[in-house]
Amino acid sequence: MDAAERDLLAETLRKTMTAASGQALDSALADLGWAELLAEQPDIAVPLAFRLLGETGAQAPLLNDVLLGAAGRPLGGTLPLPYTGGTWIVWERDDSAAGAALDAELPLRSVAAGAPVQLATGRVALGWWLLGTGRAMLALARQHAVDRVQFGRPLASFQAVRHRLAETLVVLDGAEATLVAATDDLGALLAKAAAGQAALTAARNCQQVLGGIGFTAEHDLHRHVRRAMVLDGLLGSARELTREAGALLRAGGSAPRLVHL
């Protein structure tokens, strides 16, 4: 797939995700050939689709497909997924199951522990979703800073606001670099941890920039904040994965060179 084809695919996916979410989006992506794209070009399908889910604020049970495909199983179903704190959930494909405590748009259901899943592929996919969510929050905060006038000056002219936006951009770009470089289990673990931490940093900084309006139901920020918190906990939170990485390095008695990380 050349650059022009990739741009066309990205535009098509963005329009589809802007127009639909949940079960309707799942069906629309199936009609667009999501299963074939995932099977034939996962290196393009996963970063593009999951990043756009974050940027548009849409949701679909695509993580199931990524994990099912990695296990060599037919797509279109569900499977138990480990969640933070030693719990397990299922990401249903039916909107009627929506109503998760933290993010009511997500059809998540608690279940008993299931069989091990291919964590690396799922963590990379979730990392791209978290990255897109972080960039969506940054875009909202940046636009508010440009439009808002405080004490007779644009909010964006205040150094404290600029610092928070700059810090957010730096951590998001750093997380993207780890996702691009993730080629093994440890790389995927570190990339998911970096993306989760970056999204949570974006939520904190962007909430500060937006101030009171960011807490209101009328503003979109709260949807992205809740989404980031849920996705961070799926397949291991940033805090848990950081500890796991430390334990692995201690057990191995050495750390990979920086270029390998």
Side-chain angles (χ1 to χ4, degrees), residues 39-123:
E40 297 171 8
Q41 295 186 297
D43 56 328
I44 294 176
V46 170
L48 183 57
F50 282 84
R51 176 176 57 81
L52 287 173
L53 282 174
E55 291 181 4
T56 60
Q59 62 89 7
L62 303 186
L63 182 62
N64 288 305
D65 294 332
V66 170
L67 295 172
L68 289 169
R73 296 168 57 183
L75 308 191
T78 63
L79 71 174
L81 306 172
Y83 199 76
T84 185
T87 59
W88 288 69
I89 61 98
V90 165
W91 194 308
E92 300 286 7
R93 307 195 84 108
D94 185 354
D95 285 345
S96 64
L102 188 57
D103 189 336
E105 297 179 23
L106 300 181
L108 307 181
R109 177 172 57 87
S110 297
V111 294
V117 297
Q118 298 282 346
L119 291 174
T121 53
R123 283 171 173 168

Side-chain angles (χ1 to χ4, degrees), residues 175-197:
E176 182 169 359
T178 65
L179 287 165
V180 171
T183 57
D184 57 13
D185 289 350
L186 179 59
L189 184 155
L190 293 171
K192 169 64 163 56
Q197 187 58 53

